[in-house]
Amino acid sequence: MIRIRIWLITFMVSVAGFVSIGIFKPTSSVSTSFQVSRSAATTFRVLTNTSNVNSFFADASSIEPQIEGDEVTGNQYRVSFGDGNEAASVEVVGFQDLKQFSFQSVTDAKTTLTTYSLTRIKEGTRVNVSHVISPVTWWGKSVQPLVLGSQIER
């Protein structure tokens, strides 16, 4: 009987610890950078052209404008993935021509803020990409820090 109680208490403490990971670390960040042997203007144009979405997201099947205005900031799109059953709502939240742009994507499982920053370098352009990921569900909030923590920094 004592063994069962000890096991049950250990199990409950383990579950509470697992769930609390999401409470103490509700968002996760992932950053990377890469170099392109093109000018900042060309790189920026390629990255911000919505017709190139399939080049960056292989499983993206379509991108549909929802709101487009004269100002880039505030434009909203619906990006569908695979057979179209999964989709993300994407809004441009920051834009500095030839330097930086940010967008926020929202799915049923998470909200992600992605920022691309371009820096002119001797060999072309350095692109820094950062993602701040905020899971929506308690399960996602608990698992995501563990998954992202196991990734190798580049």
Side-chain angles (χ1 to χ4, degrees):
M1 188 67 142
I2 289 249
R3 282 185 156 180
I4 293 174
R5 285 184 185 169
I6 291 172
W7 183 87
L8 185 59
I9 290 170
T10 303
F11 178 75
M12 291 175 64
V13 167
S14 298
V15 168
F18 176 73
V19 171
S20 69
I21 291 171
I23 294 170
F24 295 117
K25 189 169 169 55
T27 63
S28 298
S29 299
V30 178
S31 297
T32 190
S33 65
F34 57 92
Q35 289 182 202
V36 180
S37 61
R38 300 280 186 239
S39 70
T42 300
T43 304
F44 195 83
R45 191 171 51 251
V46 168
L47 289 173
T48 57
N49 187 337
T50 57
S51 64
N52 293 330
V53 167
N54 291 50
S55 301
F56 307 121
F57 303 105
D59 58 343
S61 57
S62 69
I63 181 166
E64 303 163 16
Q66 301 296 303
I67 299 172
E68 282 190 313
D70 294 335
E71 296 293 321
V72 176
T73 302
N75 286 352
Q76 295 179 9
Y77 304 90
R78 183 178 190 278
V79 181
S80 299
F81 298 94
D83 58 5
N85 290 334
E86 274 191 61
S89 173
V90 178
E91 179 179 356
V92 179
V93 294
F95 188 86
Q96 288 180 310
D97 199 21
L98 303 180
K99 293 182 187 220
Q100 182 177 4
F101 67 97
S102 303
F103 59 89
Q104 183 167 334
S105 60
V106 178
T107 66
D108 292 338
K110 66 185 173 192
T111 299
T112 305
L113 175 64
T114 302
T115 301
Y116 286 81
S117 300
L118 283 69
T119 307
R120 222 179 280 177
I121 59 174
K122 185 178 180 180
E123 300 83 17
T125 305
R126 174 178 301 286
V127 181
N128 296 309
V129 185
S130 70
H131 305 279
V132 178
I133 305 161
S134 304
V136 174
T137 64
W138 70 268
W139 174 254
K141 288 180 182 181
S142 298
V143 171
Q144 183 154 316
L146 299 174
V147 172
L148 290 176
S150 67
Q151 293 182 351
I152 298 171
E153 286 289 321
R154 289 190 261 166

